[in-house]
């Protein structure tokens, strides 16, 4: 396989990315944290993204203030905004979690950015991620590193 073809296949796999479902869900007080996962990173990558769903089932608002993980030297909470045709990531102070609401961190939207990764993230690996909420305090979840299901990867693992 030529390098060019492999690169094209990689780009296609990223564009068609759909995670294989294998992570578990967590409940902490009135917060439900669903399906924490991270993208497998290329060998030379220094940064990676982690994603999850936060549902606030309570009557009071809360906020996700920060995250930390032993997998990375620094961890930031990012949003993605469009600047013309260019997607830009920027660090946000917090993610607001209104009462009875659900916020999805996903590729192309809010995400947790793992900076200065200590090692590349490999599919099948797991690492802890501690989320700090303004009211609910700290919650540590296990993040599953998932391979992107490309054109030939299929969606056999999808459950929702
Ligand atoms: Cu980012």
């Amino acid at each position: 396989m030529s390098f060019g073809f492999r690169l094209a296949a990689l780009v296609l796999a990223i564009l068609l990315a759909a995670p294989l479902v294998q992570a578990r869900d967590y409940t902490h007080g009135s917060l439900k944290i669903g399906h924490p996962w991270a993208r497998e990173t290329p060998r030379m990558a220094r940064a990676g993204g982690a994603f999850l769903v936060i549902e606030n089932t309570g009557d009071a608002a809360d906020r996700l203030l920060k995250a930390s993980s032993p997998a990375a030297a620094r961890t930031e909470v990012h949003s993605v905004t469009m600047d013309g045709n260019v997607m830009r990531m920027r660090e946000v102070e917090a993610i607001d979690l209104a009462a009875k609401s659900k916020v999805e961190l996903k590729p192309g939207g809010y995400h947790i950015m793992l900076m200065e990764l200590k090692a590349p993230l490999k599919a099948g690996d797991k690492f802890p991620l501690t989320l700090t909420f303004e009211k609910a305090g700290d919650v540590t979840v296990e993040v599953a590193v998932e391979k992107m299901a490309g054109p030939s990867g299929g969606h056999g693992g999808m459950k929702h």
Side-chain angles (χ1 to χ4, degrees), residues 78-80 89-90 111-113 115:
H78 280 184
S79 70
V80 175
M89 299 194 294
R90 65 192 170 88
H111 56 277
I112 290 161
M113 198 85 201
M115 325 274 287

Side-chain angles (χ1 to χ4, degrees), residues 55-72:
E55 186 177 358
N56 181 3
T57 61
D59 295 322
D62 205 340
R63 304 202 308 159
L64 173 64
L65 300 178
K66 63 185 175 106
S68 64
S69 174

Side-chain angles (χ1 to χ4, degrees), residues 101-114:
S101 75
K102 196 189 237 185
V103 176
E104 192 176 355
L105 280 67
K106 60 182 182 207
Y110 282 127
H111 56 277
I112 290 161
M113 198 85 201
L114 303 158

Side-chain angles (χ1 to χ4, degrees), residues 19-23 35-40 123-124 144-148:
L20 296 168
V21 175
Q22 53 180 230
H35 189 212
W37 67 282
R39 256 184 185 166
E40 189 172 46
V145 181
E146 298 181 3
K147 203 186 274 290
M148 294 297 107

